[in-house]
Amino acid sequence: MCDSSRCPQATHHLLHRPVWQTAADNGTVLLASPRIPVGEKNRLRAEHQRSMRALEEIDKATGKAG
């Protein structure tokens, strides 16, 4: 999943939003789980933040209110 913070050629289109939304939703569930170790939660938190930034960029690029 490309995003503009990692690749200057990445583009954000509305058709990509469901994939990023699923990643963000999964991250939210995993971060809330008491069964996930702290070290893994740190990694998941960074990935969740990346997903949220990508969603914000898609919303901004498509004129959709977030």
Side-chain angles (χ1 to χ4, degrees), residues 1-20 50 53-62:
M1 295 188 312
C2 292
D3 73 77
S4 58
S5 68
R6 292 184 175 189
C7 176
Q9 296 180 5
T11 58
H12 300 287
H13 300 285
L14 196 54
L15 65 100
H16 299 133
R17 197 176 196 292
V19 175
W20 285 105
R50 176 180 174 230
R53 278 193 310 273
L55 286 169
E56 290 171 10
E57 289 296 319
I58 291 169
D59 290 347
K60 188 177 1 174
T62 61

Side-chain angles (χ1 to χ4, degrees), residues 13-63:
H13 300 285
L14 196 54
L15 65 100
H16 299 133
R17 197 176 196 292
V19 175
W20 285 105
Q21 187 65 59
T22 299
D25 293 345
N26 289 343
T28 299
V29 170
L30 290 171
L31 287 168
S33 174
R35 300 185 72 171
I36 305 295
V38 174
E40 182 65 9
K41 280 191 179 188
N42 291 335
R43 189 194 66 76
L44 287 169
R45 193 169 292 110
E47 286 300 311
H48 183 259
Q49 290 169 348
R50 176 180 174 230
S51 298
M52 296 305 292
R53 278 193 310 273
L55 286 169
E56 290 171 10
E57 289 296 319
I58 291 169
D59 290 347
K60 188 177 1 174
T62 61

